[in-house]
């Protein structure tokens, strides 16, 4: 006799989260609230660990003093830059998954802002759409940060001795390595966590439209400012950030799409915004390379395989009058006005 549908059971893969994960609950008004959130969060993380590899999870911090929690996190390595949340007109950080070193092994510690996690302990009524949405957003946030554990694990297994130990050889490499890592890490994390974020694509598309729509205007303003201050480091930061931010948001957007099993696609509104900003070719190149790197997971040989991501940004910089090329431990940086000249004329 065949089983009735209601009798069917789904067997999840084994949980991968360590049994002894420590939870630090900071600046909660009441101990009982901290305990409830910690127990509920631990349950969600263990469930997520059935589909996302959390073997390298170091611990979890939930803090109402989020900025202080980031600044005070012991990462096991001396001399690292103090962690700080993203905080600009496009993004305010509420969670982070930094790598840490414990007994010589690279792991990942999750840090959450308490204000964005507390809703997982709520029991909203079925007709309370706002509360239900808040809970779903919190669960997706947890899954996304958990996905970064697997992303970091895969990179450390592919390139052992690189994280925390390999020194960047030049200023030019540092610039483009940051872009490589930002694009790949967010693409892969979004692709792993997409099943937990149904409906979240709209938020990523909104962010992508926002940054791509102002990228070239910001780049032009940075270039205009350069002729007054003549600070090469400053224009790299200002023009480079404005032109590469749409690539990072593309990684979020298409990582989510590619992880949604064909159930999501980019909207015509976003396609039009990309085209109007002159980013269509760059984004097509970036997405193709991200997908190729994903398909080759487990077969990577060298970190330089990710340089194809930074090369997309390098071409965008050139379009806006900024050329960055290797020069020993530094970089050759040339700036010009693309409306007046075809190539570099000032350094």
């Amino acid at each position: 006799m065949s089983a009735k549908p209601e009798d069917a059971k789904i067997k999840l893969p084994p949980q991968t989260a360590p049994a002894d994960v420590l939870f630090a609950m900071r600046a909660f008004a009441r101990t009982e609230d901290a305990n409830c959130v910690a127990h509920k969060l631990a349950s969600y993380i263990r469930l997520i660990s059935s589909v996302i590899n959390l073997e390298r999870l170091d611990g979890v911090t939930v803090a109402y003093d989020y900025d202080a929690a980031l600044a005070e996190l012991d990462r096991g390595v001396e001399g690292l830059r103090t962690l700080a949340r993203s905080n600009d007109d496009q993004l305010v950080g509420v969670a982070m998954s930094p790598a840490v070193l414990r007994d010589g092994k690279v792991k990942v510690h999750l840090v959450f802002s308490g204000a964005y996690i507390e809703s997982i302990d709520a029991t909203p009524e079925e007709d309370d759409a706002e509360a239900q949405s808040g809970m779903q957003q919190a669960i997706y946030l947890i899954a996304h940060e958990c996905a970064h554990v697997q992303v970091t694990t895969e990179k450390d297994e592919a390139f052992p001795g690189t994280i925390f130990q390999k020194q960047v050889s030049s200023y030019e490499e540092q610039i483009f390595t940051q872009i490589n890592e930002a694009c790949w890490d967010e693409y892969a994390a979004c692709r792993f966590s997409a099943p937990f974020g149904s409906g979240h694509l709209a938020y990523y598309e909104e962010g992508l439209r926002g940054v791509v729509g102002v990228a070239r205007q910001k780049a032009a303003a940075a270039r205009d400012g350069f002729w007054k201050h003549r600070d090469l480091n400053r224009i790299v930061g200002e023009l480079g950030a404005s032109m590469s931010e749409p690539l990072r948001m593309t990684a979020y957007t298409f990582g989510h799409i590619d992880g949604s099993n064909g159930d999501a696609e980019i909207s015509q509104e976003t396609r039009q915004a990309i085209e109007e900003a002159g980013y269509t070719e760059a984004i097509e190149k970036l997405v193709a390379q991200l997908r190729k790197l994903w398909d080759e997971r487990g077969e990577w040989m060298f970190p330089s395989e990710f340089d194809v991501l930074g090369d997309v940004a390098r071409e965008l910089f050139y379009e806006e009058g900024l050329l960055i090329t290797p020069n020993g431990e530094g970089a050759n940086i040339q700036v010009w006005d693309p409306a007046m000249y075809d190539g570099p004329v000032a350094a």
Side-chain angles (χ1 to χ4, degrees), residues 123-139:
T123 53
E125 300 294 332
E126 290 187 7
D127 59 352
D128 190 342
E130 183 176 353
Q132 291 283 353
S133 175
M135 177 178 288
Q136 288 301 318
Q137 291 294 325
I139 293 171

Side-chain angles (χ1 to χ4, degrees), residues 5 37 44 60-61 85 91 119 143 146 148 150 157 159 161 181 198 219 228 259 282 332-333:
V37 171
Y44 280 123
V60 181
T61 297
R85 77 166 87 199
L91 181 65
S119 60
C146 284
H148 277 289
Q150 180 164 344
E157 289 176 345
F159 314 119
E181 292 179 348
S198 177
K228 299 175 183 178
N332 283 324
I333 301 173

Side-chain angles (χ1 to χ4, degrees), residues 66-78:
Y66 179 61
D67 295 298
L70 289 176
E72 296 169 12
L73 178 65
D74 176 14
R75 300 185 67 190
V77 179
E78 296 293 333

